[in-house]
Amino acid sequence: MGVQKLKIAAAGLGRMGKRHAINFLHRTPRAELVAAFTPDEAETQWAKTNLEPYGVRLYDDYDAMISQEGLQAVVIATVTKVHAEEALKAMEKGLHVLCEKPISTDVSICRKVVDAAKAKPHLKVMCGFSRRFDSSYRDAYEKMDAGVIGTPTIFRSQTCDKHDPSPFFLEYSAQNGGCFVDMTVHDIDLALWFFGDNLIVKSVAAAGVAAVQTGLRDLGDCDNAVGIVEFWGGKIAYFYNSRMMAHGQEDTTEIIGTGGKLVVNGNPQANLVNTYTSAGIIRETPPHYYGRFEYAFVTESNEFTAAVLDNTKVPLKLSNAIRVVEIGSYLQEALSTGKKLYFNEAGQRVEQPRL
Amino acid sequence: MGVQKLKIAAAGLGRMGKRHAINFLHRTPRAELVAAFTPDEAETQWAKTNLEPYGVRLYDDYDAMISQEGLQAVVIATVTKVHAEEALKAMEKGLHVLCEKPISTDVSICRKVVDAAKAKPHLKVMCGFSRRFDSSYRDAYEKMDAGVIGTPTIFRSQTCDKHDPSPFFLEYSAQNGGCFVDMTVHDIDLALWFFGDNLIVKSVAAAGVAAVQTGLRDLGDCDNAVGIVEFWGGKIAYFYNSRMMAHGQEDTTEIIGTGGKLVVNGNPQANLVNTYTSAGIIRETPPHYYGRFEYAFVTESNEFTAAVLDNTKVPLKLSNAIRVVEIGSYLQEALSTGKKLYFNEAGQRVEQPRL
Amino acid sequence: MGVQKLKIAAAGLGRMGKRHAINFLHRTPRAELVAAFTPDEAETQWAKTNLEPYGVRLYDDYDAMISQEGLQAVVIATVTKVHAEEALKAMEKGLHVLCEKPISTDVSICRKVVDAAKAKPHLKVMCGFSRRFDSSYRDAYEKMDAGVIGTPTIFRSQTCDKHDPSPFFLEYSAQNGGCFVDMTVHDIDLALWFFGDNLIVKSVAAAGVAAVQTGLRDLGDCDNAVGIVEFWGGKIAYFYNSRMMAHGQEDTTEIIGTGGKLVVNGNPQANLVNTYTSAGIIRETPPHYYGRFEYAFVTESNEFTAAVLDNTKVPLKLSNAIRVVEIGSYLQEALSTGKKLYFNEAGQRVEQPRL
Amino acid sequence: MGVQKLKIAAAGLGRMGKRHAINFLHRTPRAELVAAFTPDEAETQWAKTNLEPYGVRLYDDYDAMISQEGLQAVVIATVTKVHAEEALKAMEKGLHVLCEKPISTDVSICRKVVDAAKAKPHLKVMCGFSRRFDSSYRDAYEKMDAGVIGTPTIFRSQTCDKHDPSPFFLEYSAQNGGCFVDMTVHDIDLALWFFGDNLIVKSVAAAGVAAVQTGLRDLGDCDNAVGIVEFWGGKIAYFYNSRMMAHGQEDTTEIIGTGGKLVVNGNPQANLVNTYTSAGIIRETPPHYYGRFEYAFVTESNEFTAAVLDNTKVPLKLSNAIRVVEIGSYLQEALSTGKKLYFNEAGQRVEQPRL
């Protein structure tokens, strides 16, 4: 008897959508990519070459695709603003959903999706924070969990992109919710993972500048920002995001405990080569996040597939996706108003700091 | 119209055979694993769980397998001593062959296979030296090729395995041809790649000890050995192999040129985590070569497949496989006799050094 | 004709005082340590063995020491609370002064010392921030100054000490002004050095915990704290201090510019040894700041001496010492009140953020 | 009562001589540099500025200098060919001797000096191999001695200099004894230190090229050479020396034991700065050996001084200096003849390898 495979469709074939489609097509043995949707002509051409010959049916209409006979799941990698709507429609059709982060840059919309998922508990609905699937982060988590660093107390994490001077970037930025919502959500998600996701925020402060992408100023956004999120119970996370790196992608995390610390990617590197010349010893770095996290995305596809086929829990709680966007929005507010935000032990906004 | 896939069979399902089978089954989009052979009961059980459900037909007879209707190629990962015979039989059946290194520990047997392949030029026959498919080695090669280090002159390379105290190891050693033929062949292959494969050997010297695997002494072999291979034309390669590493796998290569040098894996690491405790800052290393070279093997499967389907050259010349074993055998002879070997500019053995 | 040497006295022979005394005695060729003062019996015994045989006269009275015939300068390394008084007395006697940081934890007292120094412009008065004399920081500064990283924009710096569980620590903490004033002043001084010392603070925010030195809570202090200092003109510094490191001292700084970044001590290390065992690859770190900065202190002694003898500028402006303590105090206030502090473009405190 | 200081004279004020003179003058608290000799006019001018003002008497005649009233010791850093003669004369005058390596490039001359020293056992006579005084090598030695790596078995060590295209170099090479005697002696000395100095050589093999300093060919020397020294008892050392490094000085050593390994300077670095630009992450290296070993020389001065004043053993056995040059000469012979050298268990040359 043959292997049962998950029949999945890919929505969106942009930069990240193509990768998800290929990963489900070629790198997820228990899945079968049966359909793909894109409204875009160039992306359709790409799909005719790269997907169709492997038996993937192409659509320019999302609703038509999710009605395909026998379809069981959909991976959503369209533009952020339609994530929620597409996820809701898929759930209505009884499909399992893997949605690119974030569900929405708006907390209330995130909540709608989470509520809809709660109403259909037999469906697996996951919002993909790729770093949770990275083998280095997992190794660090296991070491922390085994007590190697005592009680985790301080969390430092940064998402730093290589400077992209192309016009694409500003266009993208106009709808991404701001640097903390677009970039730091990854670091916030990691903080919740390593600290435990039942933490209550105590205060939020931030500062930022638009140093090289000066067009961001008109959008009220920054290309370099730092923020501190203090939690009740004696834990602190601090963050840095940047779109200004000259050398490449540099996403680094430190988990500092009472008995030691773990550092993930303290020495970014593209591969294992060092070049010794009269300029010194040179190490190159990955040019972008997919250079760093490619295999994490492959693990994500496989684990989502396994959770559906084996009816086990998905590795990430969907409700986390709300909290991450919520904290990201707090940081964004702290950044744009210049004010520090305070919360009481119940997590409610208050006017003055509680000590 | 669908994609044409290469129908390939896997011979041998031991440690490395399983990996090749899985790579062709799940990680080589243009290939289809249709058959597998093993005479071993435990391996057959593994195959029933991991291969059969995906449509792979299992055999306990090699000849039967290579007669399967429609089969186009075979990947050979059985024990070394049958590599050559199986390769020859496959070629007789008109099959393309990807053979694990070495074809044989005996140079004259290697030559027979190479000759047979020459007689059937429409067949793709490749002996897999995995490091040629590793992205770091390829990056180093491209940099050298671009002139970054001037003329490559000195080549240092080591294959160092984690100490394996299990009885398996000695059993394996008895038939692997000795430490230079079993391990250093990888480094020799790299030397020929980086220096150019038309080099003539000028002298060979070696020394070794059996320090922890003392049982090797009865086999005339060592668990630590160093060797120098001097080439005509002013190039020198020096090698180290060890089966005694406490920390893990450490395969390191330096290519030293007149204007700079390239180092591959100067700082071995299992992943991107560093652990800071009262013991210091700790970095773990891969426990074995597959931890280091897994993706190189995947690339190998894919490139072999592409060469067959697209009828292009395989990335490695088969004749190299002879030269590598030949130089390995020289080193082994220099090790076991304690003598230095000398060659004239035509590559013939001579009694006294030519300067 | 012989060399003219600076006749200098050492005030205080505690941990740091001993080091200054030895540095002026043995490692500062143009200086001659002629006197030393300590009120402490154990320190006096140490001095009888280590200083007196080299012709250093010992005192248990500071006033008597600074009256010694022919004395030209004094290095002050007593407890912080008497720094200012001793510096003022020395200046009254016409002595040049090298004072350990900080002059005082109280900004107004710092100001008195600076004013006194301004009134005697022929005297060299310097407050020693040791990192300014460290060869790595200087190399980073020169590279930044040469334009290697474009415009410096974001500054990350941390002072992290090895956890010292001895009772000494709490005693010391009670009078050190708090973690930002005691530790982060070094990082603030570096920020002013790299960013330029005419910057105006725009906002200050901080958060901290007392995780392992819980006794600090009664003192209103923390053993881990992070802070953000935003400057007018588009520059941001963020800081971390900790007394909880398991592995050793880790003072790291990143200067991030529009075209690159410089990292100082991104990989802390005690020396050039790596140990490879079954536990992994281990690198040790310095146990304390003197293990990291010993030669910076030697450079400091020598450059202070040269500035006096050659009547050139001291390498650090004394007025900076006020600004550093001032910003440190802002961070300490932000930490203890939980509030964010705001400043207008003239540097005056305001109630609401200016954007 | 004052401190008793060792009255020492410096012979030779060339590159290394200047450094020894300064180290004894300013960085060796228990020593007093009282005299210096150089026949060279430019060096004399340097000494008038840098030594004379501190009370150092200058000589252009070695014999006159060693006759100076009250002189107790001499540090010899003249050209190698006069080391032995000057050392012998100094011993005749009853002076302690610290001699730069090597005593001579000729083993029989080394032996004369050692014999002379044996005849005057009250004199301290030391040949300075600077790496023995380096804190990283010492830390590695202590770790090995504490059993961290089991039994040391394989020793890899290299002395690699930055390529110096100036004419100075060839001139210097003509009288330095060849690359193994001039450079690898340091590594041989380390091997004897780590392996134990009672080892008997079993075989020696070498190979080399003159790749960038082609003028060396006329001198029968190389600018890149590798060698293997096998010892009776199951230990092997292998060496590499080069004068071709583009990036800087790179002296690296690995001590590989049955239970682990120690690496000294696996990642050469000038300081703790890393520069991140669009070219990648760059680390600079020391330009020459003094950039790497400066503080080892200071330790050497201090320990030699202490051994004399306290009448304790000098840290290095003088007889080692013979063995090191002897093994260096074997390697040089193996290099120039192309032959492998064999020795029996008594250390005598034999024609055929003993197994």
Side-chain angles (χ1 to χ4, degrees):
Chain A
M1 195 206 72
V3 167
Q4 191 208 348
K5 292 197 177 192
L6 178 71
K7 292 187 192 316
I8 192 165
L13 295 173
R15 194 169 49 161
M16 200 57 230
K18 285 187 182 77
R19 291 164 179 161
H20 279 298
I22 290 294
N23 287 345
F24 275 103
L25 182 60
H26 292 317
R27 304 166 104 179
T28 310
R30 300 180 69 191
E32 189 181 351
L33 187 76
V34 296
F37 150 72
T38 174
D40 182 273
E41 182 51 34
E43 291 173 16
T44 301
Q45 282 312 312
W46 176 88
K48 278 182 195 289
T49 304
N50 293 283
L51 304 182
E52 214 173 41
Y54 291 92
V56 181
R57 191 158 160 198
L58 305 184
Y59 293 87
D60 60 4
D61 181 87
Y62 179 77
D63 296 326
M65 179 181 76
I66 59 173
S67 303
Q68 182 173 312
E69 179 71 28
L71 187 68
Q72 297 171 280
V74 64
V75 52
I76 297 173
T78 39
V79 292
T80 297
K81 66 181 170 186
V82 298
H83 284 179
E85 187 194 341
E86 291 178 352
L88 290 168
K89 282 181 174 176
M91 285 187 267
E92 274 165 41
K93 289 280 184 190
L95 301 178
H96 306 279
V97 176
L98 171 56
C99 184
E100 253 300 302
K101 71 95 208 166
I103 298 176
S104 167
T105 59
D106 178 326
V107 176
S108 65
I109 294 175
C110 289
R111 200 160 281 140
K112 270 175 71 176
V113 174
V114 173
D115 289 345
K118 276 191 191 145
K120 301 212 171 182
H122 62 291
L123 294 183
K124 307 294 173 191
V125 183
M126 184 166 101
C127 179
F129 282 95
S130 48
R131 293 175 205 184
R132 295 251 189 167
F133 300 90
D134 175 65
S135 58
S136 292
Y137 277 107
R138 287 181 166 192
D139 182 34
Y141 186 88
E142 280 160 28
K143 286 182 163 67
M144 183 196 74
D145 206 41
V148 169
I149 61 163
T151 305
T153 303
I154 306 288
F155 188 88
R156 176 173 86 84
S157 198
Q158 68 178 37
T159 295
C160 292
D161 284 356
K162 186 164 183 165
H163 179 203
D164 172 2
S166 74
F168 160 76
F169 173 71
L170 269 188
E171 213 176 294
Y172 167 74
S173 294
Q175 47 180 298
N176 68 13
C179 59
F180 283 113
V181 170
D182 186 46
M183 303 179 79
T184 300
V185 282
H186 286 292
D187 305 289
I188 298 167
D189 179 61
L190 292 172
L192 294 180
W193 184 26
F194 279 85
F195 275 167
D197 53 17
N198 51 359
L199 287 182
I200 310 293
V201 175
K202 184 178 177 186
S203 76
V204 175
V209 294
V212 290
Q213 303 274 10
T214 48
L216 285 171
R217 288 174 196 162
D218 300 332
L219 303 170
D221 203 5
C222 296
D223 56 13
N224 281 272
V226 295
I228 301 172
V229 177
E230 194 184 6
F231 295 99
W232 286 100
K235 294 192 191 295
I236 296 168
Y238 69 113
F239 303 114
Y240 171 45
N241 63 61
S242 177
R243 305 198 189 270
M244 192 174 78
M245 296 295 106
H247 58 288
Q249 177 77 9
E250 186 178 0
D251 297 346
T252 304
T253 300
E254 291 190 58
I255 308 101
I256 304 163
T258 50
K261 76 169 184 170
L262 291 155
V263 180
V264 179
N265 200 35
N267 288 296
Q269 55 189 30
N271 58 26
L272 298 171
V273 176
N274 275 230
T275 308
Y276 294 52
T277 71
S278 56
I281 302 173
I282 303 169
R283 195 175 74 240
E284 294 173 5
T285 52
H288 46 59
Y289 75 98
Y290 204 66
R292 166 68 183 86
F293 291 110
E294 176 177 353
Y295 294 107
F297 283 100
V298 175
T299 301
E300 184 184 77
S301 308
N302 280 277
E303 295 195 355
F304 173 75
T305 298
V308 174
L309 293 175
D310 304 339
N311 193 20
T312 55
K313 272 194 194 170
V314 290
L316 268 103
K317 281 201 279 189
L318 188 62
S319 55
N320 253 23
I322 303 181
R323 298 212 57 216
V324 166
V325 172
E326 190 176 47
I327 295 173
S329 300
Y330 290 153
L331 281 160
Q332 204 71 35
E333 179 185 341
L335 177 65
S336 60
T337 63
K339 291 189 181 173
K340 186 169 180 181
L341 313 185
Y342 309 107
F343 302 83
N344 65 18
E345 289 184 280
Q348 297 157 319
R349 285 285 277 276
V350 290
E351 283 304 305
Q352 293 294 320
R354 301 286 169 100
L355 300 178
Chain B
M1 195 204 72
V3 169
Q4 191 207 349
K5 293 198 176 190
L6 178 72
K7 292 189 192 314
I8 192 165
L13 295 174
R15 195 170 46 160
M16 200 57 231
K18 286 187 182 74
R19 291 164 180 162
H20 279 299
I22 290 293
N23 287 345
F24 275 104
L25 181 59
H26 293 316
R27 303 165 103 180
T28 310
R30 300 180 69 190
E32 190 182 348
L33 187 76
V34 296
F37 150 71
T38 176
D40 182 272
E41 182 51 35
E43 291 174 16
T44 302
Q45 282 312 313
W46 176 88
K48 278 183 195 287
T49 304
N50 292 285
L51 304 182
E52 213 173 42
Y54 290 92
V56 181
R57 192 160 157 195
L58 305 183
Y59 293 88
D60 60 5
D61 181 87
Y62 179 78
D63 296 326
M65 179 181 76
I66 59 174
S67 304
Q68 181 173 311
E69 178 72 24
L71 189 67
Q72 296 170 279
V74 64
V75 53
I76 298 174
T78 40
V79 291
T80 297
K81 64 180 174 190
V82 298
H83 284 179
E85 185 193 344
E86 291 178 354
L88 291 168
K89 283 182 173 175
M91 284 187 269
E92 275 166 39
K93 290 280 183 190
L95 302 178
H96 306 280
V97 177
L98 171 57
C99 184
E100 253 300 302
K101 71 92 210 169
I103 297 175
S104 167
T105 60
D106 179 327
V107 176
S108 65
I109 294 177
C110 289
R111 201 160 280 139
K112 272 175 69 176
V113 175
V114 174
D115 289 345
K118 275 191 191 146
K120 302 213 171 182
H122 61 291
L123 295 182
K124 308 296 175 191
V125 183
M126 183 167 102
C127 179
F129 283 96
S130 48
R131 292 175 207 184
R132 294 249 190 168
F133 301 90
D134 176 64
S135 58
S136 292
Y137 277 106
R138 288 181 165 194
D139 182 35
Y141 187 87
E142 280 161 28
K143 287 184 162 68
M144 184 197 72
D145 206 40
V148 169
I149 61 163
T151 305
T153 303
I154 306 289
F155 188 87
R156 175 173 86 84
S157 198
Q158 68 178 36
T159 295
C160 292
D161 284 356
K162 185 164 184 166
H163 179 204
D164 172 5
S166 74
F168 159 77
F169 172 72
L170 269 188
E171 213 175 294
Y172 167 75
S173 294
Q175 48 181 298
N176 67 14
C179 59
F180 282 114
V181 170
D182 187 46
M183 303 177 80
T184 300
V185 282
H186 286 292
D187 305 289
I188 298 167
D189 179 61
L190 292 173
L192 295 180
W193 184 26
F194 279 85
F195 275 167
D197 53 18
N198 51 359
L199 286 183
I200 310 294
V201 174
K202 184 178 178 186
S203 76
V204 175
V209 293
V212 290
Q213 303 275 11
T214 50
L216 285 171
R217 289 173 196 163
D218 301 332
L219 302 170
D221 203 3
C222 296
D223 55 13
N224 281 272
V226 295
I228 302 173
V229 177
E230 196 184 5
F231 296 99
W232 287 100
K235 295 192 191 296
I236 296 167
Y238 68 113
F239 302 114
Y240 172 46
N241 63 62
S242 177
R243 304 197 191 271
M244 190 174 78
M245 295 296 106
H247 58 288
Q249 177 78 9
E250 187 178 359
D251 297 347
T252 303
T253 301
E254 290 190 59
I255 309 103
I256 304 163
T258 50
K261 75 169 183 170
L262 291 155
V263 180
V264 179
N265 199 34
N267 288 296
Q269 57 190 28
N271 58 25
L272 298 171
V273 176
N274 274 232
T275 307
Y276 293 54
T277 72
S278 56
I281 302 174
I282 303 168
R283 194 175 74 241
E284 295 174 6
T285 53
H288 46 59
Y289 75 98
Y290 204 66
R292 166 69 182 85
F293 291 111
E294 176 177 354
Y295 294 106
F297 284 99
V298 174
T299 301
E300 184 185 76
S301 309
N302 280 277
E303 295 195 356
F304 174 75
T305 298
V308 174
L309 292 176
D310 303 338
N311 193 21
T312 55
K313 273 195 194 169
V314 291
L316 268 103
K317 282 200 279 189
L318 188 62
S319 56
N320 252 24
I322 303 181
R323 299 212 57 217
V324 166
V325 172
E326 190 176 48
I327 295 174
S329 300
Y330 291 154
L331 281 161
Q332 204 71 38
E333 178 185 340
L335 177 66
S336 61
T337 63
K339 292 189 179 172
K340 187 170 179 179
L341 314 185
Y342 311 107
F343 303 83
N344 65 18
E345 289 184 281
Q348 297 158 319
R349 285 284 277 274
V350 290
E351 281 305 303
Q352 292 294 320
R354 302 286 169 98
L355 298 177
Chain C
M1 197 206 70
V3 167
Q4 193 209 346
K5 293 197 174 188
L6 178 71
K7 291 186 191 319
I8 192 166
L13 296 173
R15 197 171 46 161
M16 201 55 230
K18 285 187 183 76
R19 290 163 180 163
H20 279 298
I22 290 294
N23 288 345
F24 275 104
L25 181 60
H26 293 318
R27 305 166 102 179
T28 310
R30 299 180 71 192
E32 189 182 349
L33 187 76
V34 296
F37 150 72
T38 175
D40 182 271
E41 182 52 32
E43 291 173 17
T44 301
Q45 283 311 313
W46 176 88
K48 277 181 197 287
T49 304
N50 293 284
L51 304 183
E52 212 171 43
Y54 290 92
V56 180
R57 192 160 157 195
L58 305 184
Y59 294 87
D60 60 2
D61 181 88
Y62 179 77
D63 296 325
M65 179 181 75
I66 59 173
S67 303
Q68 181 172 315
E69 179 71 28
L71 187 68
Q72 295 171 280
V74 63
V75 52
I76 297 173
T78 40
V79 291
T80 298
K81 65 180 171 187
V82 298
H83 284 179
E85 186 194 343
E86 290 177 352
L88 291 169
K89 281 181 176 178
M91 285 188 267
E92 274 165 40
K93 290 278 183 188
L95 302 178
H96 306 281
V97 176
L98 171 56
C99 184
E100 254 300 304
K101 72 91 211 169
I103 296 175
S104 167
T105 60
D106 178 326
V107 176
S108 65
I109 294 176
C110 290
R111 202 160 278 141
K112 270 174 73 177
V113 174
V114 174
D115 289 345
K118 274 190 192 148
K120 301 210 172 182
H122 61 291
L123 295 182
K124 307 297 174 190
V125 183
M126 185 168 103
C127 179
F129 282 96
S130 48
R131 292 173 207 185
R132 294 249 189 167
F133 300 90
D134 176 64
S135 58
S136 292
Y137 277 106
R138 287 181 166 192
D139 183 34
Y141 187 87
E142 281 161 27
K143 287 183 160 70
M144 183 196 74
D145 206 41
V148 169
I149 61 163
T151 305
T153 303
I154 305 289
F155 188 88
R156 176 174 85 85
S157 198
Q158 67 178 37
T159 295
C160 292
D161 285 355
K162 185 163 184 166
H163 179 204
D164 172 4
S166 74
F168 160 76
F169 172 72
L170 269 189
E171 212 175 295
Y172 167 75
S173 294
Q175 46 181 297
N176 68 13
C179 59
F180 282 113
V181 170
D182 186 46
M183 303 179 79
T184 300
V185 282
H186 285 294
D187 306 288
I188 298 167
D189 179 61
L190 292 171
L192 294 181
W193 184 27
F194 279 85
F195 275 168
D197 53 18
N198 51 358
L199 287 182
I200 310 293
V201 174
K202 185 178 177 186
S203 76
V204 174
V209 294
V212 289
Q213 304 275 10
T214 48
L216 285 172
R217 289 173 196 163
D218 300 331
L219 302 170
D221 203 4
C222 296
D223 55 13
N224 282 272
V226 295
I228 302 172
V229 177
E230 195 183 5
F231 296 99
W232 286 100
K235 295 190 189 297
I236 296 167
Y238 69 114
F239 303 112
Y240 172 45
N241 63 63
S242 177
R243 304 197 189 272
M244 191 174 79
M245 296 294 106
H247 57 289
Q249 177 77 8
E250 186 177 1
D251 296 346
T252 303
T253 301
E254 291 190 58
I255 308 102
I256 304 162
T258 49
K261 76 170 183 168
L262 291 156
V263 180
V264 179
N265 200 35
N267 288 296
Q269 56 190 27
N271 58 28
L272 298 171
V273 176
N274 275 229
T275 307
Y276 293 54
T277 72
S278 56
I281 302 174
I282 303 168
R283 192 175 76 241
E284 296 174 5
T285 52
H288 45 59
Y289 76 98
Y290 203 66
R292 166 68 182 87
F293 292 110
E294 176 178 353
Y295 294 107
F297 283 99
V298 174
T299 301
E300 183 185 77
S301 308
N302 280 275
E303 295 195 356
F304 173 75
T305 298
V308 174
L309 293 176
D310 304 339
N311 194 20
T312 56
K313 272 194 196 170
V314 291
L316 267 103
K317 281 201 280 187
L318 188 64
S319 55
N320 252 24
I322 302 182
R323 297 211 59 216
V324 166
V325 172
E326 191 176 47
I327 295 174
S329 301
Y330 290 154
L331 283 160
Q332 203 71 37
E333 179 185 339
L335 177 65
S336 61
T337 63
K339 291 189 180 173
K340 188 170 178 181
L341 314 185
Y342 310 107
F343 302 81
N344 65 17
E345 288 183 281
Q348 296 157 319
R349 285 282 280 274
V350 290
E351 282 305 302
Q352 292 293 321
R354 301 285 168 98
L355 300 178
Chain D
M1 197 207 71
V3 168
Q4 192 208 347
K5 292 196 174 189
L6 178 71
K7 289 184 192 320
I8 192 164
L13 296 173
R15 195 171 48 161
M16 201 56 230
K18 285 187 184 75
R19 290 163 180 163
H20 279 299
I22 291 294
N23 287 345
F24 275 104
L25 180 60
H26 293 317
R27 303 165 104 181
T28 310
R30 299 180 69 191
E32 188 181 350
L33 186 76
V34 296
F37 150 72
T38 175
D40 182 271
E41 180 53 32
E43 291 173 18
T44 301
Q45 282 312 314
W46 176 87
K48 278 182 197 288
T49 305
N50 293 283
L51 304 182
E52 212 172 43
Y54 290 92
V56 180
R57 195 160 155 193
L58 306 183
Y59 293 86
D60 59 4
D61 180 88
Y62 179 77
D63 296 325
M65 179 182 76
I66 59 173
S67 304
Q68 181 173 313
E69 179 70 29
L71 188 68
Q72 296 171 281
V74 64
V75 52
I76 297 173
T78 40
V79 292
T80 297
K81 65 180 171 186
V82 297
H83 283 179
E85 185 194 343
E86 291 178 352
L88 291 169
K89 281 181 176 177
M91 285 187 267
E92 275 164 40
K93 290 280 184 187
L95 301 179
H96 306 280
V97 176
L98 172 56
C99 184
E100 253 301 302
K101 72 95 208 166
I103 296 175
S104 168
T105 60
D106 179 325
V107 175
S108 65
I109 294 177
C110 290
R111 201 161 280 139
K112 269 174 72 176
V113 174
V114 173
D115 290 344
K118 274 191 190 144
K120 301 212 172 182
H122 61 291
L123 294 183
K124 307 296 174 190
V125 184
M126 185 168 103
C127 180
F129 282 96
S130 48
R131 292 174 207 185
R132 294 249 190 168
F133 300 91
D134 176 64
S135 58
S136 292
Y137 277 106
R138 288 182 165 190
D139 182 35
Y141 187 87
E142 280 161 27
K143 286 182 162 68
M144 183 196 74
D145 206 42
V148 169
I149 61 164
T151 305
T153 302
I154 305 290
F155 188 87
R156 176 174 86 84
S157 198
Q158 67 178 37
T159 296
C160 292
D161 285 355
K162 186 164 184 165
H163 179 204
D164 172 4
S166 74
F168 160 78
F169 172 72
L170 269 187
E171 212 176 293
Y172 167 75
S173 294
Q175 47 180 297
N176 67 14
C179 60
F180 282 115
V181 170
D182 187 45
M183 303 179 79
T184 300
V185 282
H186 286 293
D187 305 289
I188 298 168
D189 179 62
L190 292 171
L192 295 181
W193 183 28
F194 279 86
F195 275 167
D197 52 19
N198 50 359
L199 287 181
I200 310 293
V201 173
K202 184 178 178 185
S203 76
V204 174
V209 293
V212 290
Q213 304 275 9
T214 48
L216 286 171
R217 289 174 197 162
D218 301 330
L219 302 171
D221 203 4
C222 295
D223 56 13
N224 282 272
V226 295
I228 302 174
V229 177
E230 194 184 5
F231 296 98
W232 286 100
K235 294 190 190 299
I236 295 167
Y238 69 114
F239 303 113
Y240 172 45
N241 63 62
S242 177
R243 304 196 190 272
M244 191 175 79
M245 296 296 107
H247 57 289
Q249 176 78 8
E250 186 179 358
D251 297 347
T252 303
T253 300
E254 290 191 58
I255 308 103
I256 303 163
T258 50
K261 77 169 182 168
L262 291 155
V263 180
V264 180
N265 199 34
N267 288 297
Q269 57 190 30
N271 58 26
L272 299 171
V273 176
N274 275 232
T275 307
Y276 294 54
T277 72
S278 56
I281 302 174
I282 304 168
R283 194 174 74 240
E284 296 174 3
T285 52
H288 46 58
Y289 75 99
Y290 204 65
R292 167 68 182 87
F293 290 111
E294 176 177 354
Y295 294 107
F297 284 99
V298 174
T299 301
E300 183 184 77
S301 308
N302 280 276
E303 295 195 356
F304 173 74
T305 298
V308 174
L309 292 176
D310 304 339
N311 193 20
T312 55
K313 273 193 194 170
V314 291
L316 267 104
K317 280 201 280 187
L318 188 63
S319 56
N320 253 23
I322 303 182
R323 300 212 55 217
V324 166
V325 172
E326 191 177 47
I327 295 174
S329 300
Y330 291 154
L331 282 160
Q332 203 72 35
E333 179 184 340
L335 177 65
S336 61
T337 63
K339 291 188 178 172
K340 187 171 179 180
L341 314 185
Y342 310 107
F343 302 82
N344 65 18
E345 288 184 280
Q348 296 158 322
R349 285 284 278 273
V350 290
E351 282 306 302
Q352 292 294 321
R354 303 285 170 99
L355 299 177

